[in-house]
Amino acid sequence: MRILLIGPPGAGKGTQAVRLASRLSIQHISAGDLFREHIDQGTELGRNARTHISSGRLVPDGITIGVLAERLGRPDTERGFLLDGFPRNIPQAEALDGILADSGSGLDAVLDLEIPEAEVVGRIAGRRLCRRNREHIFHVDHSPPEVAGACDVCGGELYQRDDDREATVRRRLEIHRSETAPVVGHYRAAGLVSTISALGQVQEVLDRALLAIGQGQNQVDASGTARR
């Protein structure tokens, strides 16, 4: 199965993508993770990407498309994949369509995560990561560390990523509204989109996503769980 997970920053795409990909036994491909690998390795691509990411701008299409095209060409994607963070605009969506068409395939579903903007700002701006292990994540309001500024797991220093600062978050939301949201319309015209609420517990959102993929109903329930 080939799935695109789309939604504003802070909607929980990364969290849901990992769980969905695991449940469906397909590859999780995150554009953000690919770029962060390059940033951590100090490559030229990583330095160029960091300049854009830290100021809330998108990495240029040419670089992004090239990185994702190479990743989609690897053998481990033959059984399927879940894209998280790509495509972010119409040119990237059209490029993805072309890449998949060249391989004789196409997307099977597009899941559009829906969430209020105020919730997004609160989720992201309050997030803190451990410098020793980025998988140790805290939140100043919802899951604060026992000792301020220190990781409960390993004692590492907690920090706020540049792209998690409130001003940057709001800029990222502006970009989403102007450039990424139209991608939903691009795929809705092909009948691929299910919009689901990203509010609630992680398992609740996952259940909505699985239900949308498995049943493809026009309306799953009155709470906006999934609709086309």
Side-chain angles (χ1 to χ4, degrees):
M1 196 167 196
R2 296 169 295 278
I3 302 172
L4 167 60
L5 191 62
I6 196 168
K13 293 189 299 297
T15 298
Q16 293 301 328
V18 170
R19 286 162 174 75
L20 273 171
S22 176
R23 180 71 67 88
L24 299 171
S25 298
I26 58 179
Q27 291 297 312
H28 169 215
I29 299 176
S30 165
D33 286 347
L34 290 176
F35 285 129
R36 278 189 283 274
E37 287 176 12
H38 284 277
I39 290 172
D40 289 345
Q41 294 168 7
T43 66
E44 182 178 356
L45 172 61
R47 291 192 294 272
N48 290 336
R50 183 183 179 85
T51 299
H52 295 274
I53 292 171
S54 63
S55 60
R57 301 194 305 270
L58 297 178
V59 177
D61 288 347
I63 297 174
T64 303
I65 292 168
V67 169
L68 268 296
E70 186 277 330
R71 181 65 185 88
L72 290 173
R74 298 179 193 174
D76 63 359
T77 65
E78 292 179 0
R79 292 185 56 189
F81 56 80
L82 189 151
L83 287 174
D84 162 21
F86 177 90
R88 291 182 180 269
N89 56 37
I90 294 298
Q92 290 183 11
E94 293 173 342
L96 174 62
D97 293 345
I99 292 168
L100 296 179
D102 288 343
S103 66
S105 64
L107 290 174
D108 296 303
V110 176
L111 296 178
D112 172 33
L113 297 182
E114 189 174 62
I115 185 171
E117 184 170 308
E119 178 72 14
V120 167
V121 174
R123 283 186 181 187
I124 299 179
R127 187 164 56 196
R128 299 294 184 270
L129 279 66
C130 175
R131 290 195 184 278
R132 292 182 183 173
N133 188 331
R134 259 202 325 250
E135 294 183 0
H136 300 163
I137 303 173
F138 298 84
H139 192 282
V140 295
D141 296 320
H142 307 310
S143 55
E146 294 182 2
V147 177
C151 175
D152 290 349
V153 180
C154 66
E157 178 190 1
L158 299 183
Y159 74 103
Q160 183 182 44
R161 295 191 314 179
D162 290 342
D163 51 335
D164 286 349
R165 300 184 187 281
E166 182 173 344
T168 304
V169 173
R170 294 192 181 279
R171 172 59 180 155
R172 290 167 64 193
L173 286 169
E174 291 176 8
I175 292 173
H176 177 79
R177 284 193 296 271
S178 64
E179 298 190 24
T180 308
V183 173
V184 176
H186 174 80
Y187 288 113
R188 195 181 298 281
L192 294 172
V193 177
S194 292
T195 298
I196 65 174
S197 171
L199 294 176
Q201 299 298 313
V202 170
Q203 186 61 47
E204 293 174 336
V205 180
L206 177 62
D207 289 343
R208 294 169 192 158
L210 290 169
L211 189 58
I213 294 171
Q215 297 191 16
Q217 298 180 112
N218 290 334
Q219 186 76 32
V220 175
D221 65 25
S223 69
T225 295
R227 65 181 185 274
R228 290 186 183 276

